[in-house]
Amino acid sequence: MTDVRRLVPRTDAVLALPAVAAAAQRLGRALVKEAVVAAQGRARAGEIAPGDVADAALAALPGTPTTLTPVLNATGVLLHTNLGRAPLSAAARAALDVAAGTCDVELDLATGGRGPRGTAAIDALLAAVPGAAAAHLVNNGAAAIAMVAACLAGGGREIVIARGELVEIGAGFRIPDLLTATGARLREVGTTNRVHRDDYAAAVGEDTAFVLKVHPSNFVVSGFTHSCGVDELTGLGVPVVADIGSGLLAPHPLLPDEPDAATTLAQGAALVTASGDKLLGGPQAGLLLGAPGEGAELVGRVRRHPLARAVRVDKLTLAAFEATLRGPVPPTRTALDADPRDLLARAQRIADRLRADGVDARAVESDSTVGGGGAPGLTLPSAAVSLPEPYAAVLRAGTPAVLGRTERGRCLLDLRAVPPESDDALAGAVGRAR
Ligand SMILES: *Cc1c(COP(=O)(O)O)cnc(C)c1O
């Protein structure tokens, strides 16, 4: 008998095959070679025929050289931190493609000279928040707060902040640590549950750079509580900076307790900071919005600060951010506004189809949340496809991967954050997981 191992084709020979060479063009030689070597190993072990090495290697290749895997968000959490928060609109994705090449990000095509960077994205933001007189973009919400602290209080000046607003954002990162890392000092006022205007007034002095209001975006304190709105904190002789977190630009009827940029500026905040990839529905970014007068002047100072360069947004962010604001409603907003009756109808359609294929599926009402540091404690009525619990693990490992949530022994696929055009993909994934 011939030793099969001698029939296993050589690596170079497999790599020279047209289909394999084409894959190497697309994915890089190293990645393809790795797959070929793995397939050769399987052939030597007798798992596949020596003649199938090339096909097995090709079948094992990923679609792109990134190891990131698309995941359908069926958790019912609108902004899922572990899934990258807001999904981008088709318009923003298309803009990313334009910016990915060489583009006129800092060039004036009319004169051939250097052009201002990022003005179109800033103009789009100012158009969306007419009450702001100036705006600036940085890498994320944390960078926006850090820049304000570094710029206004970096030399050991004081930031006055309520004890109940010393927030841990997530993954162990804490706003107070972020602030003091810039060289600023904190002057804490009030208690965990209560703070009054008098507390702030007593703390403001010579060394105060600004009063900071941080939205407790991932927890609620209830009971014997009191906090001060931005409107109560003006007139203390120092600017009020408000970190609203979610990037909601105007009030939203479903989110009565979530602060928005327009209202916060109207209440007298000099500066508002927020994230771009939460309720705004855009790419990761940090927004700084300045009120007319002092606020606008402060935005200018932040823009000229030496650290501004270190947290500067790239051309991809500028493109996606502008397209999010100027283009059609982004998916996060569509999902937030989805009518629960429509969600239930979709769940019923999917469940009916799956039951016809013998799956124990039923449509159920469910509760979804905003997540991602927004609207804590609020539930949005939603609908889900309920499956036996073991589906959860199989769906997670499938293509596309589907992340649901487990509740009372069932795997729920909540449709709140699933775009309607993904219903077929979702049903298909469940069908294959059977
Ligand atoms: C999310 C959040 C941040 C941090 O923003 P990133 O964009 O994640 O850096 C800061 N403050 C508040 C209130 C938040 O909700």
Side-chain angles (χ1 to χ4, degrees), residues 55-95:
D55 284 346
L58 287 171
L61 288 172
T64 67
T66 175
T67 53
L68 287 176
T69 305
V71 181
L72 277 175
N73 176 10
T75 59
V77 181
L78 199 56
L79 297 163
H80 199 295
T81 302
N82 304 145
L83 297 179
R85 291 188 183 160
L88 295 182
S89 65
R93 290 170 194 236

PDB file of all heavy atoms in Angstrom, residues 55-95:
ATOM      1  N   ASP A  55      -8.839  22.305  -2.076  1.00  0.00           N
ATOM      2  CA  ASP A  55     -10.238  22.667  -1.811  1.00  0.00           C
ATOM      3  C   ASP A  55     -10.473  22.882  -0.316  1.00  0.00           C
ATOM      4  O   ASP A  55     -11.183  23.813   0.089  1.00  0.00           O
ATOM      5  CB  ASP A  55     -11.180  21.572  -2.320  1.00  0.00           C
ATOM      6  CG  ASP A  55     -11.318  21.626  -3.842  1.00  0.00           C
ATOM      7  OD1 ASP A  55     -10.907  22.668  -4.421  1.00  0.00           O
ATOM      8  OD2 ASP A  55     -11.794  20.644  -4.427  1.00  0.00           O
ATOM      9  N   ALA A  56      -9.880  22.022   0.491  1.00  0.00           N
ATOM     10  CA  ALA A  56     -10.062  22.159   1.942  1.00  0.00           C
ATOM     11  C   ALA A  56      -9.444  23.466   2.434  1.00  0.00           C
ATOM     12  O   ALA A  56     -10.024  24.164   3.282  1.00  0.00           O
ATOM     13  CB  ALA A  56      -9.440  20.969   2.669  1.00  0.00           C
ATOM     14  N   ALA A  57      -8.283  23.808   1.888  1.00  0.00           N
ATOM     15  CA  ALA A  57      -7.634  25.060   2.299  1.00  0.00           C
ATOM     16  C   ALA A  57      -8.506  26.246   1.903  1.00  0.00           C
ATOM     17  O   ALA A  57      -8.742  27.166   2.713  1.00  0.00           O
ATOM     18  CB  ALA A  57      -6.253  25.177   1.667  1.00  0.00           C
ATOM     19  N   LEU A  58      -9.030  26.210   0.675  1.00  0.00           N
ATOM     20  CA  LEU A  58      -9.868  27.327   0.201  1.00  0.00           C
ATOM     21  C   LEU A  58     -11.131  27.445   1.049  1.00  0.00           C
ATOM     22  O   LEU A  58     -11.567  28.551   1.386  1.00  0.00           O
ATOM     23  CB  LEU A  58     -10.237  27.126  -1.268  1.00  0.00           C
ATOM     24  CG  LEU A  58      -9.092  27.356  -2.269  1.00  0.00           C
ATOM     25  CD1 LEU A  58      -9.496  26.910  -3.678  1.00  0.00           C
ATOM     26  CD2 LEU A  58      -8.681  28.838  -2.287  1.00  0.00           C
ATOM     27  N   ALA A  59     -11.710  26.295   1.401  1.00  0.00           N
ATOM     28  CA  ALA A  59     -12.954  26.316   2.180  1.00  0.00           C
ATOM     29  C   ALA A  59     -12.717  26.883   3.573  1.00  0.00           C
ATOM     30  O   ALA A  59     -13.630  27.443   4.188  1.00  0.00           O
ATOM     31  CB  ALA A  59     -13.532  24.904   2.271  1.00  0.00           C
ATOM     32  N   ALA A  60     -11.488  26.731   4.074  1.00  0.00           N
ATOM     33  CA  ALA A  60     -11.216  27.184   5.443  1.00  0.00           C
ATOM     34  C   ALA A  60     -10.867  28.666   5.509  1.00  0.00           C
ATOM     35  O   ALA A  60     -10.758  29.226   6.597  1.00  0.00           O
ATOM     36  CB  ALA A  60     -10.076  26.355   6.031  1.00  0.00           C
ATOM     37  N   LEU A  61     -10.701  29.303   4.329  1.00  0.00           N
ATOM     38  CA  LEU A  61     -10.264  30.703   4.335  1.00  0.00           C
ATOM     39  C   LEU A  61     -11.389  31.646   4.755  1.00  0.00           C
ATOM     40  O   LEU A  61     -12.542  31.433   4.389  1.00  0.00           O
ATOM     41  CB  LEU A  61      -9.771  31.097   2.945  1.00  0.00           C
ATOM     42  CG  LEU A  61      -8.430  30.497   2.525  1.00  0.00           C
ATOM     43  CD1 LEU A  61      -8.151  30.810   1.058  1.00  0.00           C
ATOM     44  CD2 LEU A  61      -7.311  31.027   3.410  1.00  0.00           C
ATOM     45  N   PRO A  62     -11.042  32.686   5.491  1.00  0.00           N
ATOM     46  CA  PRO A  62     -12.064  33.689   5.832  1.00  0.00           C
ATOM     47  C   PRO A  62     -12.355  34.570   4.623  1.00  0.00           C
ATOM     48  O   PRO A  62     -11.616  34.556   3.638  1.00  0.00           O
ATOM     49  CB  PRO A  62     -11.375  34.494   6.939  1.00  0.00           C
ATOM     50  CG  PRO A  62      -9.922  34.381   6.642  1.00  0.00           C
ATOM     51  CD  PRO A  62      -9.714  33.034   6.004  1.00  0.00           C
ATOM     52  N   GLY A  63     -13.434  35.327   4.697  1.00  0.00           N
ATOM     53  CA  GLY A  63     -13.805  36.209   3.587  1.00  0.00           C
ATOM     54  C   GLY A  63     -12.869  37.406   3.469  1.00  0.00           C
ATOM     55  O   GLY A  63     -12.651  37.923   2.379  1.00  0.00           O
ATOM     56  N   THR A  64     -12.360  37.865   4.591  1.00  0.00           N
ATOM     57  CA  THR A  64     -11.450  39.012   4.597  1.00  0.00           C
ATOM     58  C   THR A  64     -10.338  38.733   5.598  1.00  0.00           C
ATOM     59  O   THR A  64     -10.480  37.844   6.438  1.00  0.00           O
ATOM     60  CB  THR A  64     -12.165  40.301   5.061  1.00  0.00           C
ATOM     61  OG1 THR A  64     -12.517  40.140   6.434  1.00  0.00           O
ATOM     62  CG2 THR A  64     -13.399  40.606   4.245  1.00  0.00           C
ATOM     63  N   PRO A  65      -9.241  39.514   5.531  1.00  0.00           N
ATOM     64  CA  PRO A  65      -8.154  39.256   6.483  1.00  0.00           C
ATOM     65  C   PRO A  65      -8.437  39.763   7.903  1.00  0.00           C
ATOM     66  O   PRO A  65      -7.549  39.682   8.738  1.00  0.00           O
ATOM     67  CB  PRO A  65      -6.956  40.008   5.886  1.00  0.00           C
ATOM     68  CG  PRO A  65      -7.384  40.473   4.545  1.00  0.00           C
ATOM     69  CD  PRO A  65      -8.866  40.497   4.520  1.00  0.00           C
ATOM     70  N   THR A  66      -9.613  40.273   8.178  1.00  0.00           N
ATOM     71  CA  THR A  66      -9.897  40.654   9.566  1.00  0.00           C
ATOM     72  C   THR A  66     -10.509  39.473  10.301  1.00  0.00           C
ATOM     73  O   THR A  66     -11.243  38.682   9.714  1.00  0.00           O
ATOM     74  CB  THR A  66     -10.856  41.863   9.663  1.00  0.00           C
ATOM     75  OG1 THR A  66     -11.147  42.072  11.047  1.00  0.00           O
ATOM     76  CG2 THR A  66     -12.167  41.617   8.946  1.00  0.00           C
ATOM     77  N   THR A  67     -10.186  39.359  11.583  1.00  0.00           N
ATOM     78  CA  THR A  67     -10.786  38.289  12.373  1.00  0.00           C
ATOM     79  C   THR A  67     -12.104  38.741  13.005  1.00  0.00           C
ATOM     80  O   THR A  67     -12.772  37.959  13.659  1.00  0.00           O
ATOM     81  CB  THR A  67      -9.833  37.832  13.501  1.00  0.00           C
ATOM     82  OG1 THR A  67      -9.445  38.983  14.229  1.00  0.00           O
ATOM     83  CG2 THR A  67      -8.596  37.157  12.934  1.00  0.00           C
ATOM     84  N   LEU A  68     -12.461  40.005  12.811  1.00  0.00           N
ATOM     85  CA  LEU A  68     -13.754  40.466  13.328  1.00  0.00           C
ATOM     86  C   LEU A  68     -14.866  39.764  12.559  1.00  0.00           C
ATOM     87  O   LEU A  68     -14.803  39.626  11.341  1.00  0.00           O
ATOM     88  CB  LEU A  68     -13.899  41.977  13.149  1.00  0.00           C
ATOM     89  CG  LEU A  68     -13.064  42.856  14.073  1.00  0.00           C
ATOM     90  CD1 LEU A  68     -13.238  44.327  13.693  1.00  0.00           C
ATOM     91  CD2 LEU A  68     -13.467  42.650  15.519  1.00  0.00           C
ATOM     92  N   THR A  69     -15.881  39.323  13.286  1.00  0.00           N
ATOM     93  CA  THR A  69     -16.987  38.574  12.699  1.00  0.00           C
ATOM     94  C   THR A  69     -18.273  39.390  12.811  1.00  0.00           C
ATOM     95  O   THR A  69     -18.566  39.900  13.890  1.00  0.00           O
ATOM     96  CB  THR A  69     -17.169  37.257  13.486  1.00  0.00           C
ATOM     97  OG1 THR A  69     -15.922  36.568  13.486  1.00  0.00           O
ATOM     98  CG2 THR A  69     -18.244  36.385  12.890  1.00  0.00           C
ATOM     99  N   PRO A  70     -19.021  39.518  11.727  1.00  0.00           N
ATOM    100  CA  PRO A  70     -20.309  40.218  11.860  1.00  0.00           C
ATOM    101  C   PRO A  70     -21.248  39.448  12.779  1.00  0.00           C
ATOM    102  O   PRO A  70     -21.304  38.221  12.716  1.00  0.00           O
ATOM    103  CB  PRO A  70     -20.869  40.237  10.434  1.00  0.00           C
ATOM    104  CG  PRO A  70     -19.782  39.781   9.541  1.00  0.00           C
ATOM    105  CD  PRO A  70     -18.790  39.022  10.369  1.00  0.00           C
ATOM    106  N   VAL A  71     -21.962  40.171  13.625  1.00  0.00           N
ATOM    107  CA  VAL A  71     -22.889  39.538  14.566  1.00  0.00           C
ATOM    108  C   VAL A  71     -24.248  40.228  14.459  1.00  0.00           C
ATOM    109  O   VAL A  71     -24.319  41.459  14.500  1.00  0.00           O
ATOM    110  CB  VAL A  71     -22.377  39.673  16.029  1.00  0.00           C
ATOM    111  CG1 VAL A  71     -23.339  38.992  17.001  1.00  0.00           C
ATOM    112  CG2 VAL A  71     -20.980  39.087  16.173  1.00  0.00           C
ATOM    113  N   LEU A  72     -25.299  39.440  14.309  1.00  0.00           N
ATOM    114  CA  LEU A  72     -26.650  40.016  14.355  1.00  0.00           C
ATOM    115  C   LEU A  72     -27.006  40.247  15.821  1.00  0.00           C
ATOM    116  O   LEU A  72     -26.960  39.330  16.633  1.00  0.00           O
ATOM    117  CB  LEU A  72     -27.657  39.059  13.717  1.00  0.00           C
ATOM    118  CG  LEU A  72     -27.772  39.107  12.195  1.00  0.00           C
ATOM    119  CD1 LEU A  72     -28.719  38.023  11.708  1.00  0.00           C
ATOM    120  CD2 LEU A  72     -28.251  40.479  11.727  1.00  0.00           C
ATOM    121  N   ASN A  73     -27.350  41.485  16.136  1.00  0.00           N
ATOM    122  CA  ASN A  73     -27.633  41.855  17.523  1.00  0.00           C
ATOM    123  C   ASN A  73     -29.096  41.577  17.859  1.00  0.00           C
ATOM    124  O   ASN A  73     -29.963  42.416  17.641  1.00  0.00           O
ATOM    125  CB  ASN A  73     -27.295  43.336  17.733  1.00  0.00           C
ATOM    126  CG  ASN A  73     -27.654  43.808  19.130  1.00  0.00           C
ATOM    127  OD1 ASN A  73     -27.988  43.008  20.001  1.00  0.00           O
ATOM    128  ND2 ASN A  73     -27.577  45.109  19.339  1.00  0.00           N
ATOM    129  N   ALA A  74     -29.356  40.382  18.382  1.00  0.00           N
ATOM    130  CA  ALA A  74     -30.713  40.013  18.782  1.00  0.00           C
ATOM    131  C   ALA A  74     -30.832  39.998  20.306  1.00  0.00           C
ATOM    132  O   ALA A  74     -31.640  39.279  20.882  1.00  0.00           O
ATOM    133  CB  ALA A  74     -31.084  38.653  18.190  1.00  0.00           C
ATOM    134  N   THR A  75     -30.008  40.800  20.971  1.00  0.00           N
ATOM    135  CA  THR A  75     -30.003  40.844  22.436  1.00  0.00           C
ATOM    136  C   THR A  75     -31.131  41.697  22.993  1.00  0.00           C
ATOM    137  O   THR A  75     -31.462  41.599  24.166  1.00  0.00           O
ATOM    138  CB  THR A  75     -28.683  41.442  22.962  1.00  0.00           C
ATOM    139  OG1 THR A  75     -28.555  42.770  22.418  1.00  0.00           O
ATOM    140  CG2 THR A  75     -27.480  40.624  22.540  1.00  0.00           C
ATOM    141  N   GLY A  76     -31.667  42.592  22.156  1.00  0.00           N
ATOM    142  CA  GLY A  76     -32.650  43.541  22.678  1.00  0.00           C
ATOM    143  C   GLY A  76     -31.974  44.729  23.339  1.00  0.00           C
ATOM    144  O   GLY A  76     -32.640  45.595  23.898  1.00  0.00           O
ATOM    145  N   VAL A  77     -30.664  44.785  23.290  1.00  0.00           N
ATOM    146  CA  VAL A  77     -29.918  45.947  23.783  1.00  0.00           C
ATOM    147  C   VAL A  77     -29.524  46.754  22.555  1.00  0.00           C
ATOM    148  O   VAL A  77     -28.744  46.307  21.724  1.00  0.00           O
ATOM    149  CB  VAL A  77     -28.668  45.513  24.577  1.00  0.00           C
ATOM    150  CG1 VAL A  77     -27.921  46.729  25.093  1.00  0.00           C
ATOM    151  CG2 VAL A  77     -29.060  44.599  25.723  1.00  0.00           C
ATOM    152  N   LEU A  78     -30.113  47.938  22.466  1.00  0.00           N
ATOM    153  CA  LEU A  78     -29.953  48.746  21.255  1.00  0.00           C
ATOM    154  C   LEU A  78     -28.491  49.070  20.971  1.00  0.00           C
ATOM    155  O   LEU A  78     -28.019  48.938  19.848  1.00  0.00           O
ATOM    156  CB  LEU A  78     -30.745  50.040  21.479  1.00  0.00           C
ATOM    157  CG  LEU A  78     -31.128  50.861  20.280  1.00  0.00           C
ATOM    158  CD1 LEU A  78     -31.907  50.018  19.294  1.00  0.00           C
ATOM    159  CD2 LEU A  78     -31.985  52.033  20.740  1.00  0.00           C
ATOM    160  N   LEU A  79     -27.800  49.528  22.009  1.00  0.00           N
ATOM    161  CA  LEU A  79     -26.390  49.881  21.854  1.00  0.00           C
ATOM    162  C   LEU A  79     -25.590  48.914  22.699  1.00  0.00           C
ATOM    163  O   LEU A  79     -25.439  49.114  23.898  1.00  0.00           O
ATOM    164  CB  LEU A  79     -26.156  51.316  22.320  1.00  0.00           C
ATOM    165  CG  LEU A  79     -26.889  52.368  21.510  1.00  0.00           C
ATOM    166  CD1 LEU A  79     -26.937  53.681  22.265  1.00  0.00           C
ATOM    167  CD2 LEU A  79     -26.234  52.563  20.160  1.00  0.00           C
ATOM    168  N   HIS A  80     -25.116  47.846  22.102  1.00  0.00           N
ATOM    169  CA  HIS A  80     -24.421  46.810  22.854  1.00  0.00           C
ATOM    170  C   HIS A  80     -22.926  47.094  22.798  1.00  0.00           C
ATOM    171  O   HIS A  80     -22.312  47.043  21.735  1.00  0.00           O
ATOM    172  CB  HIS A  80     -24.745  45.448  22.254  1.00  0.00           C
ATOM    173  CG  HIS A  80     -24.473  44.310  23.180  1.00  0.00           C
ATOM    174  ND1 HIS A  80     -23.202  44.006  23.601  1.00  0.00           N
ATOM    175  CD2 HIS A  80     -25.302  43.411  23.780  1.00  0.00           C
ATOM    176  CE1 HIS A  80     -23.261  42.956  24.414  1.00  0.00           C
ATOM    177  NE2 HIS A  80     -24.527  42.588  24.544  1.00  0.00           N
ATOM    178  N   THR A  81     -22.357  47.404  23.958  1.00  0.00           N
ATOM    179  CA  THR A  81     -20.942  47.780  24.004  1.00  0.00           C
ATOM    180  C   THR A  81     -20.046  46.698  23.409  1.00  0.00           C
ATOM    181  O   THR A  81     -19.120  46.991  22.653  1.00  0.00           O
ATOM    182  CB  THR A  81     -20.529  48.049  25.466  1.00  0.00           C
ATOM    183  OG1 THR A  81     -21.383  49.076  25.974  1.00  0.00           O
ATOM    184  CG2 THR A  81     -19.099  48.508  25.556  1.00  0.00           C
ATOM    185  N   ASN A  82     -20.347  45.442  23.733  1.00  0.00           N
ATOM    186  CA  ASN A  82     -19.478  44.359  23.250  1.00  0.00           C
ATOM    187  C   ASN A  82     -19.653  44.086  21.760  1.00  0.00           C
ATOM    188  O   ASN A  82     -18.870  43.355  21.155  1.00  0.00           O
ATOM    189  CB  ASN A  82     -19.748  43.067  24.028  1.00  0.00           C
ATOM    190  CG  ASN A  82     -19.586  43.268  25.527  1.00  0.00           C
ATOM    191  OD1 ASN A  82     -20.295  42.671  26.314  1.00  0.00           O
ATOM    192  ND2 ASN A  82     -18.678  44.144  25.925  1.00  0.00           N
ATOM    193  N   LEU A  83     -20.706  44.666  21.180  1.00  0.00           N
ATOM    194  CA  LEU A  83     -20.918  44.500  19.737  1.00  0.00           C
ATOM    195  C   LEU A  83     -20.573  45.780  18.986  1.00  0.00           C
ATOM    196  O   LEU A  83     -20.980  45.970  17.841  1.00  0.00           O
ATOM    197  CB  LEU A  83     -22.374  44.092  19.449  1.00  0.00           C
ATOM    198  CG  LEU A  83     -22.809  42.744  20.020  1.00  0.00           C
ATOM    199  CD1 LEU A  83     -24.284  42.469  19.699  1.00  0.00           C
ATOM    200  CD2 LEU A  83     -21.948  41.617  19.460  1.00  0.00           C
ATOM    201  N   GLY A  84     -19.844  46.681  19.652  1.00  0.00           N
ATOM    202  CA  GLY A  84     -19.393  47.880  18.945  1.00  0.00           C
ATOM    203  C   GLY A  84     -20.406  49.010  18.897  1.00  0.00           C
ATOM    204  O   GLY A  84     -20.356  49.854  18.003  1.00  0.00           O
ATOM    205  N   ARG A  85     -21.326  49.040  19.841  1.00  0.00           N
ATOM    206  CA  ARG A  85     -22.333  50.119  19.916  1.00  0.00           C
ATOM    207  C   ARG A  85     -23.086  50.309  18.592  1.00  0.00           C
ATOM    208  O   ARG A  85     -23.542  49.353  18.025  1.00  0.00           O
ATOM    209  CB  ARG A  85     -21.673  51.418  20.379  1.00  0.00           C
ATOM    210  CG  ARG A  85     -21.231  51.362  21.838  1.00  0.00           C
ATOM    211  CD  ARG A  85     -20.772  52.742  22.285  1.00  0.00           C
ATOM    212  NE  ARG A  85     -20.259  52.746  23.645  1.00  0.00           N
ATOM    213  CZ  ARG A  85     -19.466  53.682  24.118  1.00  0.00           C
ATOM    214  NH1 ARG A  85     -19.085  54.691  23.337  1.00  0.00           N
ATOM    215  NH2 ARG A  85     -19.058  53.647  25.343  1.00  0.00           N
ATOM    216  N   ALA A  86     -23.182  51.570  18.126  1.00  0.00           N
ATOM    217  CA  ALA A  86     -24.094  51.858  17.012  1.00  0.00           C
ATOM    218  C   ALA A  86     -23.606  51.251  15.690  1.00  0.00           C
ATOM    219  O   ALA A  86     -22.450  51.434  15.324  1.00  0.00           O
ATOM    220  CB  ALA A  86     -24.244  53.364  16.850  1.00  0.00           C
ATOM    221  N   PRO A  87     -24.487  50.537  14.979  1.00  0.00           N
ATOM    222  CA  PRO A  87     -24.136  50.115  13.627  1.00  0.00           C
ATOM    223  C   PRO A  87     -24.279  51.327  12.694  1.00  0.00           C
ATOM    224  O   PRO A  87     -25.142  52.170  12.911  1.00  0.00           O
ATOM    225  CB  PRO A  87     -25.190  49.055  13.305  1.00  0.00           C
ATOM    226  CG  PRO A  87     -26.365  49.405  14.161  1.00  0.00           C
ATOM    227  CD  PRO A  87     -25.850  50.131  15.370  1.00  0.00           C
ATOM    228  N   LEU A  88     -23.430  51.424  11.698  1.00  0.00           N
ATOM    229  CA  LEU A  88     -23.475  52.602  10.816  1.00  0.00           C
ATOM    230  C   LEU A  88     -24.550  52.445   9.749  1.00  0.00           C
ATOM    231  O   LEU A  88     -24.890  51.333   9.338  1.00  0.00           O
ATOM    232  CB  LEU A  88     -22.114  52.802  10.150  1.00  0.00           C
ATOM    233  CG  LEU A  88     -20.960  53.157  11.090  1.00  0.00           C
ATOM    234  CD1 LEU A  88     -19.678  53.378  10.293  1.00  0.00           C
ATOM    235  CD2 LEU A  88     -21.297  54.412  11.892  1.00  0.00           C
ATOM    236  N   SER A  89     -25.064  53.589   9.289  1.00  0.00           N
ATOM    237  CA  SER A  89     -26.033  53.584   8.191  1.00  0.00           C
ATOM    238  C   SER A  89     -25.319  53.191   6.903  1.00  0.00           C
ATOM    239  O   SER A  89     -24.092  53.267   6.793  1.00  0.00           O
ATOM    240  CB  SER A  89     -26.644  54.976   8.032  1.00  0.00           C
ATOM    241  OG  SER A  89     -25.646  55.903   7.631  1.00  0.00           O
ATOM    242  N   ALA A  90     -26.111  52.800   5.912  1.00  0.00           N
ATOM    243  CA  ALA A  90     -25.531  52.464   4.603  1.00  0.00           C
ATOM    244  C   ALA A  90     -24.788  53.678   4.053  1.00  0.00           C
ATOM    245  O   ALA A  90     -23.722  53.548   3.443  1.00  0.00           O
ATOM    246  CB  ALA A  90     -26.632  52.004   3.652  1.00  0.00           C
ATOM    247  N   ALA A  91     -25.347  54.865   4.283  1.00  0.00           N
ATOM    248  CA  ALA A  91     -24.700  56.088   3.782  1.00  0.00           C
ATOM    249  C   ALA A  91     -23.339  56.288   4.442  1.00  0.00           C
ATOM    250  O   ALA A  91     -22.359  56.669   3.786  1.00  0.00           O
ATOM    251  CB  ALA A  91     -25.611  57.295   4.050  1.00  0.00           C
ATOM    252  N   ALA A  92     -23.266  56.026   5.737  1.00  0.00           N
ATOM    253  CA  ALA A  92     -21.985  56.183   6.446  1.00  0.00           C
ATOM    254  C   ALA A  92     -20.976  55.138   5.990  1.00  0.00           C
ATOM    255  O   ALA A  92     -19.784  55.414   5.850  1.00  0.00           O
ATOM    256  CB  ALA A  92     -22.214  56.090   7.956  1.00  0.00           C
ATOM    257  N   ARG A  93     -21.464  53.925   5.730  1.00  0.00           N
ATOM    258  CA  ARG A  93     -20.552  52.880   5.233  1.00  0.00           C
ATOM    259  C   ARG A  93     -20.001  53.269   3.861  1.00  0.00           C
ATOM    260  O   ARG A  93     -18.821  53.056   3.571  1.00  0.00           O
ATOM    261  CB  ARG A  93     -21.278  51.539   5.116  1.00  0.00           C
ATOM    262  CG  ARG A  93     -21.629  50.924   6.455  1.00  0.00           C
ATOM    263  CD  ARG A  93     -22.565  49.744   6.230  1.00  0.00           C
ATOM    264  NE  ARG A  93     -23.177  49.339   7.481  1.00  0.00           N
ATOM    265  CZ  ARG A  93     -23.102  48.106   7.970  1.00  0.00           C
ATOM    266  NH1 ARG A  93     -22.448  47.167   7.334  1.00  0.00           N
ATOM    267  NH2 ARG A  93     -23.689  47.807   9.099  1.00  0.00           N
ATOM    268  N   ALA A  94     -20.877  53.831   3.016  1.00  0.00           N
ATOM    269  CA  ALA A  94     -20.425  54.248   1.678  1.00  0.00           C
ATOM    270  C   ALA A  94     -19.397  55.374   1.799  1.00  0.00           C
ATOM    271  O   ALA A  94     -18.409  55.424   1.059  1.00  0.00           O
ATOM    272  CB  ALA A  94     -21.628  54.685   0.838  1.00  0.00           C
ATOM    273  N   ALA A  95     -19.628  56.267   2.758  1.00  0.00           N
ATOM    274  CA  ALA A  95     -18.688  57.378   2.966  1.00  0.00           C
ATOM    275  C   ALA A  95     -17.323  56.852   3.426  1.00  0.00           C
ATOM    276  O   ALA A  95     -16.279  57.391   3.042  1.00  0.00           O
ATOM    277  CB  ALA A  95     -19.262  58.349   3.996  1.00  0.00           C
TER     278      ALA A  95
END
